[in-house]
Amino acid sequence: MGQTFKGDPAAVSMAASAVAYLCDAANRYFRERVEPSDVIRTVSGANMVIPGKRAARDGAMVFDSRRGKAPLLTIFGGDVTTSRLRAERAVSRLTSFYPMSPRWTAKAPLPGGDFAWARFDDEVDRARARWRFLGESEARRLVAAYGTRLAVVLGDAGSRADLGPAFGPELTAAEVRYLMAKEWARFPDDILWRRSKLGLTMPSQDREALAQFMAASA
């Protein structure tokens, strides 16, 4: 929900009225009611709005280039859903200063996504056939998160014990190591909230164990 915010962006938070509004919206579609007291976590952010201009999902871009000086490109705001579009626009503004290849990302699959969506269930079946200790829901989560890179995450594991210590009902040391090595995860929140939503089901004691494991593995 969009609301006017003034102050330190690091201190932005979701208003209680916004939480109640979203709960009411959900209750129009589900039999079991959701109350504000059921909300475990909220996520808030602040986007800059340039005076006199309507807020846009792709943010605003300011480009400054002067003779003999390095170009300066500044991007304000923008929705995460348009991040690739903003990146393409940003790079396009710099092509006259740096040699670059032609545009190619629009049709390039994201890492692990090099298979047709219609084959998703086949990929899940293939994962369960290779790693027989995976349950249906766990296999679906892992394939959705890592796709064809799942083999790099799980390797030649023949049992759940081969994946190392477990944190909560699903997360294992093997997945944590992969995220730290390949996806720049540094802290538990990077894994539990930014890369997944496993923080919704992980007990507090397992979060502490995860933090200790990541600190020792850094």
Side-chain angles (χ1 to χ4, degrees), residues 71-129:
L72 175 64
L73 181 67
T74 308
I75 300 176
F76 303 95
D79 195 305
V80 66
T81 57
T82 61
S83 58
R84 293 187 74 175
L85 174 62
R86 293 199 305 278
E88 184 178 87
R89 289 177 176 173
V91 171
S92 297
R93 297 300 300 270
L94 298 172
T95 53
S96 59
F97 296 89
Y98 306 103
M100 298 184 187
S101 61
R103 298 179 181 182
W104 58 272
T105 60
K107 296 182 179 180
L110 294 174
D114 49 340
F115 62 91
W117 177 250
R119 286 180 42 218
F120 179 80
D121 288 338
D122 294 335
E123 292 294 323
V124 173
D125 292 339
R126 186 174 293 109
R128 295 196 68 192

Side-chain angles (χ1 to χ4, degrees), residues 1-6 12-19 21 44-47 49:
M1 293 179 62
Q3 295 180 331
T4 302
F5 175 81
K6 294 182 179 180
V12 66
S13 62
M14 192 170 185
S17 59
V19 176
Y21 171 85
S44 304
N47 282 337
V49 178

Side-chain angles (χ1 to χ4, degrees), residues 43-198:
V43 178
S44 304
N47 282 337
M48 190 198 78
V49 178
I50 298 178
K53 294 187 177 181
R54 185 172 61 87
R57 292 180 64 196
D58 54 354
M61 186 177 298
V62 178
F63 185 72
D64 182 24
S65 62
R66 301 178 184 180
R67 184 184 300 274
K69 301 291 185 180
L72 175 64
L73 181 67
T74 308
I75 300 176
F76 303 95
D79 195 305
V80 66
T81 57
T82 61
S83 58
R84 293 187 74 175
L85 174 62
R86 293 199 305 278
E88 184 178 87
R89 289 177 176 173
V91 171
S92 297
R93 297 300 300 270
L94 298 172
T95 53
S96 59
F97 296 89
Y98 306 103
M100 298 184 187
S101 61
R103 298 179 181 182
W104 58 272
T105 60
K107 296 182 179 180
L110 294 174
D114 49 340
F115 62 91
W117 177 250
R119 286 180 42 218
F120 179 80
D121 288 338
D122 294 335
E123 292 294 323
V124 173
D125 292 339
R126 186 174 293 109
R128 295 196 68 192
R130 178 170 180 180
W131 299 284
R132 296 185 178 276
F133 54 86
L134 292 179
E136 173 73 17
S137 61
E138 185 179 15
R140 296 185 73 84
R141 180 188 75 81
L142 290 170
V143 171
Y146 305 108
T148 55
R149 287 196 167 190
L150 185 55
V152 182
V153 180
L154 302 183
D156 296 325
S159 67
R160 192 173 299 277
D162 293 336
L163 301 179
F167 310 98
E170 294 189 54
L171 187 65
T172 65
E175 187 174 356
V176 173
R177 291 192 183 98
Y178 173 86
L179 290 168
M180 293 180 69
K182 303 296 183 180
E183 299 192 11
W184 305 285
R186 298 178 58 199
F187 307 105
D189 275 6
D190 295 332
I191 295 174
L192 299 180
W193 297 109
R194 299 184 183 95
R195 190 58 182 84
S196 73
K197 291 297 179 282
L198 293 176

